[in-house]
Amino acid sequence: MAMLRIRPGSKVRLARCDPGDTSAFGGSKARAIVATRRQVDRLDRLQEMLYACRSSSLLIVLQGLDTAGKDGTIRRVFEGVDPQGVRVASFQVPTPVEKAHDFLWRVHPHAPAKGEIVIFNRSHYEDVLVARVDKLVPKRVWRARFRAINEFERMLTREGTTVVKFFLHISESEQRRRLAARLADPTKHWKFSLGDAEEQPRYPLYTRAIEDVLTTTSTEWAPWYLVPADKKWFRDWAVSKVLVDSLESLRLEWPPLPKGFRSIRFAP
Ligand code: AMP
Ligand code: MG
């Protein structure tokens, strides 16, 4: 998945990343669905091993514009994983108390403990995205946050957390189509907010902000994966593949029976 991984220091141009590109898979939708199924099963096993070992943890950061598919990705990629094995932390508009603190204050308590997998559905990156585009804080404030973010994530990795970040990239036309579909579907109305309608025309402003995020915060220790997400089957395949590879690279082993237990026998 090196193709989707953003090399630290490389300058990102979203215009050069086609949101409909599925070439990293290189096969049909039907084959991708089969491969995803296998990866999802593997993820369940790897999660159990991670929990058994309690030596490290996994933090997954999911970012993407409205309708990019953050919720759908969580649902699909983790559908085979033991519900006791993962936790999702969703970050919405900060409360007055959260707003009165530094931007990492509300985030840090949700970082995974050893053995845990935590998914951030939105994250501290909102504080350099929506906060910048909607001018919620002055430029000097959001600019200084990039460094704080890199240092924060570095500290987490040094303490035993693997940090993997996904930016789900959809095209402006696909975003409009999904928002229109949401309006037309009574079962999706609850997902629709006036904010979504206000933010949509800001797609070009977000592009610049996202490019800066990906350029300055994809690091050796906490890389970003830029996932073309117009095709849901590709998105799910890519995210599950990166997660399986990341967990495999930890080379986890099942903990052995402790010494004193080896002589224990149970009568038939
Ligand atoms: P949703 O993900 O659809 O539940 O929407 C959550 C909303 O909260 C989005 O419009 C985000 O932009 C907004 N949000 C999340 N974090 C922040 C933040 N730190 N500052 C301002 N708005 C935020
Ligand atoms: Mg929303």
Side-chain angles (χ1 to χ4, degrees):
M1 295 314 289
M3 270 179 89
L4 305 181
R5 186 184 176 123
I6 294 170
R7 258 182 306 109
S10 64
K11 187 124 187 71
V12 176
R13 282 272 159 265
L14 282 183
R16 283 197 224 121
C17 169
D18 173 7
D21 183 18
T22 60
S23 60
F25 179 67
S28 65
K29 173 177 174 179
R31 283 186 46 205
I33 288 170
V34 173
T36 303
R37 185 75 254 158
R38 259 203 319 272
Q39 285 161 192
V40 165
D41 288 345
R42 181 74 190 134
L43 206 53
D44 181 45
R45 201 69 174 155
L46 287 163
Q47 181 279 319
E48 202 178 349
M49 273 180 126
L50 187 80
Y51 186 72
C53 294
R54 312 273 179 103
S55 53
S56 52
S57 60
L58 177 64
L59 172 62
I60 300 159
V61 172
L62 265 186
Q63 283 289 157
L65 296 180
D66 291 321
T67 75
K70 298 180 290 296
D71 298 325
T73 302
I74 296 170
R75 185 203 285 236
R76 292 282 161 253
V77 172
F78 290 92
E79 67 189 349
V81 176
D82 184 342
Q84 293 202 86
V86 287
R87 198 154 51 81
V88 180
S90 296
F91 296 96
Q92 313 227 324
V93 178
T95 63
V97 175
E98 288 171 344
K99 239 184 273 182
H101 288 81
D102 70 87
F103 77 108
L104 292 173
W105 182 81
R106 68 171 181 160
V107 172
H108 200 172
H110 296 284
K114 289 189 167 58
E116 276 191 326
I117 295 180
V118 170
I119 306 164
F120 280 3
N121 184 356
R122 300 188 191 267
S123 64
H124 42 295
Y125 285 97
E126 292 294 326
D127 296 285
V128 284
L129 288 167
V130 68
R132 169 179 176 177
V133 171
D134 289 357
K135 298 189 165 58
L136 306 179
V137 293
K139 181 171 181 179
R140 74 182 157 73
V141 172
W142 60 254
R143 278 221 64 88
R145 287 176 176 171
F146 287 124
R147 186 150 168 213
I149 288 174
N150 284 343
E151 285 167 1
F152 171 63
E153 292 175 353
R154 174 152 229 186
M155 182 278 291
L156 292 180
T157 59
R158 282 190 177 131
E159 296 281 325
T161 301
T162 298
V163 182
V164 183
K165 304 180 292 197
F166 296 98
F167 188 84
L168 306 179
H169 180 36
I170 53 163
S171 60
E172 190 171 3
S173 55
E174 179 65 13
Q175 189 190 41
R176 280 211 207 95
R177 203 187 59 73
R178 289 184 187 183
L179 284 169
R182 231 175 231 188
L183 264 187
D185 179 353
T187 72
K188 294 280 164 62
H189 285 173
W190 65 275
K191 276 199 156 198
F192 201 85
S193 72
L194 266 184
D196 293 345
E198 277 164 20
E199 293 301 311
Q200 201 292 315
R202 299 192 186 131
Y203 187 100
L205 290 177
Y206 271 102
T207 298
R208 182 68 201 284
I210 293 159
E211 288 174 342
D212 282 352
V213 163
L214 300 177
T215 299
T216 55
T217 62
S218 197
T219 52
E220 298 291 351
W221 56 89
W224 274 107
Y225 291 84
L226 180 52
V227 180
D230 274 4
K231 299 272 190 292
K232 294 175 184 173
W233 59 266
F234 177 81
R235 172 199 80 194
D236 297 341
W237 171 79
V239 170
S240 54
K241 170 90 174 113
V242 170
L243 292 179
V244 166
D245 289 353
S246 302
L247 285 170
E248 301 267 18
S249 73
L250 295 178
R251 305 200 178 285
L252 299 169
E253 307 254 3
W254 292 107
L257 201 59
K259 260 198 195 115
F261 289 47
R262 289 195 191 133
S263 56
I264 294 177
R265 294 287 176 278
F266 290 100

